[in-house]
Amino acid sequence: MFAAGAVLGLMLLSGCAGEEGSARGGSEDPSGEWGDSSDTTAPSLELDDDGSFSGTDGCNQLSGSWSIDEADHVQFEDVASTRMACEDVDTWLMDLSQATIADDTMTVLGTDGSEIGTLQRESD
């Protein structure tokens, strides 16, 4: 019950934050494509405006949801992925937990908060 209240509270806060220029509504809006989606062997993510995301680590497919926390970090939640054995592919993106964004660089952090990799915003 408490968890449901906390989720509702976060949803309300994230809705308000967008109006005040947070990462979601401001110049650091994380929605869009990150990495090179035209290269099927490279890691990439697509963050949709509805709070869902999809992507690949260069072999496995990833999906889930994302939100912005009070520190303007992107939080990845409900992450699901395929688990194929991939020869010669660095599957670092499978360990994503959160990310920070500065300009056109997304720094992806693992569950322990350490940097595991970066993705560049894909040009329009």
Side-chain angles (χ1 to χ4, degrees):
M1 180 103 143
F2 175 75
V7 169
L8 179 59
L10 285 173
M11 288 174 29
L12 291 173
L13 286 173
S14 67
C16 295
E19 296 169 9
E20 295 175 10
S22 75
R24 188 172 211 169
S27 62
E28 301 292 330
D29 183 359
S31 58
E33 294 185 23
W34 296 89
D36 184 358
S37 62
S38 67
D39 181 354
T40 59
T41 63
S44 66
L45 291 173
E46 182 172 355
L47 280 63
D48 294 321
D49 288 331
D50 67 1
S52 65
F53 79 89
S54 60
T56 181
D57 64 1
C59 175
N60 291 290
Q61 300 300 307
L62 303 160
S63 64
S65 60
W66 67 274
S67 62
I68 301 295
D69 69 12
E70 56 277 348
D72 281 343
H73 289 117
V74 177
Q75 296 293 323
F76 296 102
E77 298 142 355
D78 304 319
V79 179
S81 68
T82 58
R83 296 281 183 184
M84 297 186 299
C86 306
E87 222 174 285
D88 299 324
V89 175
D90 182 356
T91 59
W92 64 268
L93 193 56
M94 296 280 290
D95 296 325
L96 83 164
S97 176
Q98 59 181 309
T100 59
I101 295 175
D103 299 318
D104 288 334
T105 301
M106 174 185 286
T107 301
V108 181
L109 308 174
T111 55
D112 65 357
S114 65
E115 179 180 335
I116 58 173
T118 60
L119 296 171
Q120 297 301 308
R121 186 181 295 272
E122 195 167 286
S123 304
D124 288 335

